[in-house]
Amino acid sequence: MSTFPSELLLYPQTFLAPEKIVKIFPIISKIIIIKLPKTFNILENIYKELTVPWKEKINFLEFRENIRIDWNEISREIDVIEEWGLNFRTPENLKYFSQFKEILEESLEGIFPLNNSEKNRNKFYKELEIKRALIILSLAESLDFKMYEVEKSLKEMEEKYSQMFEEKIIGEDFTFEKILKIEEPIISSSEEVLPNLNLRISAWKIIGKYLNWDSIPSLNNLLITEKELLDEWKEKFTFEKIDLQSKDIEFYKFKASLFKILEISEDSSTKFSFPETGIVFLNF
């Protein structure tokens, strides 16, 4: 594995499930993750029981110093949007709130206000597009975390159910049947491992040009879990597959820069742009 990269940028999500982390950590030095308001707390919550030193293996990719972001404001707006989602989760609630259209529009304008002044239009649009992209990625992060927690709870419930009835404490229970795989509704709810993949990619394209790429000048490798991404890049770019003799981890060399693959302006960084990009695909 001498050709295997030591630093990988996780794309386009902000965390991996523990079963994936424990497989990739031993063979790399660093995973680079974009830092959102709740990213560190979520990682701490998920990885708290891991025996591997995950904090030493993770570096955060942040914005350039000249990009001003009010993270407290973004966190508040995310909370408002999530509350909206809860209010509109049933047709009955949606029908009720539709009677107050003007009030709802005013509420939304507080999150995404309109600005018609010619003087600050460009500055305003730049700030607004960054904010929207960060909200999309933060909501996606929240969804990933909640889905992980639900799936974890369902698996624990299934194990307890099986243990309780398979022990056959009183005699032999010939009527026992295993329950259906109870996490199936979670798995079948979306064809993608990551819901709303296209929205995440669009958000990355927006914020990518404002990130501080100079803080990781040697980075030219991506870590992905989505086969759809891999298939798309295979169609666009020339590549070579490196044989790792592993069924769980695939490694490719693409003849294109990281910025070109992610469709981010190469002018967004002063660092040398590598002509090749390594793609590590977790195939499990």
Side-chain angles (χ1 to χ4, degrees):
M1 276 197 190
S2 58
T3 60
F4 200 82
S6 60
E7 290 184 338
L8 297 168
L9 172 65
L10 180 61
Y11 176 84
Q13 67 266 52
T14 53
F15 71 86
L16 293 173
E19 57 267 25
K20 295 181 185 292
I21 278 291
V22 295
K23 284 205 171 186
I24 194 69
F25 264 4
I27 55 176
I28 62 163
S29 298
K30 296 287 182 184
I31 288 182
I32 314 298
I33 298 175
I34 185 172
K35 191 174 185 181
L36 301 171
K38 298 180 181 179
T39 304
F40 183 82
N41 291 337
I42 287 176
L43 293 180
E44 202 163 37
N45 194 310
I46 293 177
Y47 300 154
K48 60 187 177 185
E49 296 179 2
L50 290 182
T51 55
V52 294
W54 65 270
K55 291 181 183 179
E56 299 174 11
K57 291 275 190 176
I58 291 177
N59 279 8
F60 289 107
L61 178 59
E62 302 187 57
F63 283 82
R64 300 200 304 265
E65 290 184 2
N66 63 328
I67 304 299
R68 297 183 62 185
I69 298 173
D70 189 336
W71 291 108
N72 290 328
E73 180 184 354
I74 288 178
S75 295
R76 287 194 300 270
E77 291 175 357
I78 290 168
D79 292 339
V80 170
I81 293 172
E82 288 186 320
E83 187 175 348
W84 267 64
L86 291 174
N87 288 335
F88 292 154
R89 68 188 183 277
T90 65
E92 292 78 12
N93 285 3
L94 187 59
K95 184 177 180 181
Y96 172 77
F97 280 104
S98 65
Q99 301 175 52
F100 307 98
K101 183 179 177 181
E102 292 183 3
I103 297 175
L104 296 177
E105 287 178 347
E106 289 176 5
S107 176
L108 274 180
E109 189 174 341
I111 299 174
F112 298 121
L114 299 175
N115 188 332
N116 297 318
S117 66
E118 193 72 34
K119 184 178 179 181
N120 297 319
R121 183 168 294 175
N122 290 337
K123 180 175 181 292
F124 172 80
Y125 178 76
K126 174 182 172 182
E127 292 175 353
L128 185 60
E129 73 167 359
I130 292 174
K131 180 193 289 188
R132 283 176 167 165
L134 288 174
I135 287 175
I136 287 172
L137 292 176
S138 295
L139 289 172
E141 177 183 74
S142 177
L143 176 62
D144 291 345
F145 175 62
K146 288 171 183 174
M147 292 286 284
Y148 166 77
E149 290 286 280
V150 168
E151 187 173 353
K152 178 183 175 184
S153 296
L154 288 175
K155 286 179 179 178
E156 290 174 353
M157 187 189 308
E158 184 179 27
E159 289 173 2
K160 288 179 181 178
Y161 178 93
S162 299
Q163 182 182 12
M164 182 170 58
F165 285 94
E166 284 183 328
E167 284 180 349
K168 303 171 185 175
I169 299 174
I170 304 176
E172 189 171 359
D173 185 1
F174 294 100
T175 65
F176 172 77
E177 292 182 8
K178 284 184 177 291
I179 59 174
L180 293 173
K181 202 171 184 181
I182 57 179
E183 66 266 24
E184 185 63 29
I186 302 297
I187 297 172
S188 61
S189 64
S190 172
E191 294 181 358
E192 301 172 349
V193 177
L194 292 177
N196 303 311
L197 180 59
N198 289 334
L199 271 177
R200 299 175 194 238
I201 293 171
S202 297
W204 258 93
K205 289 177 184 178
I206 291 171
I207 66 169
K209 54 192 172 185
Y210 304 118
L211 295 171
N212 184 16
W213 297 101
D214 291 330
S215 65
I216 41 173
S218 60
L219 179 67
N220 65 321
N221 302 286
L222 293 175
L223 175 62
I224 64 171
T225 60
E226 304 306 293
K227 189 175 186 300
E228 181 179 333
L229 281 175
L230 184 62
D231 291 341
E232 181 182 337
W233 294 335
K234 282 181 177 179
E235 291 181 3
K236 289 183 178 180
F237 309 107
T238 304
F239 68 92
E240 173 192 4
K241 184 176 181 181
I242 310 299
D243 184 16
L244 299 179
Q245 297 183 343
S246 170
K247 65 177 182 178
D248 295 330
I249 301 174
E250 298 178 13
F251 180 41
Y252 298 82
K253 285 277 191 178
F254 280 79
K255 305 295 183 182
S257 71
L258 183 145
F259 293 102
K260 192 168 184 178
I261 286 178
L262 299 185
E263 298 182 52
I264 297 170
S265 169
E266 302 211 21
D267 294 335
S268 62
S269 175
T270 58
K271 82 179 187 67
F272 176 74
S273 181
F274 295 94
E276 287 189 341
T277 301
I279 307 292
V280 175
F281 171 51
L282 299 185
N283 190 22
F284 63 98

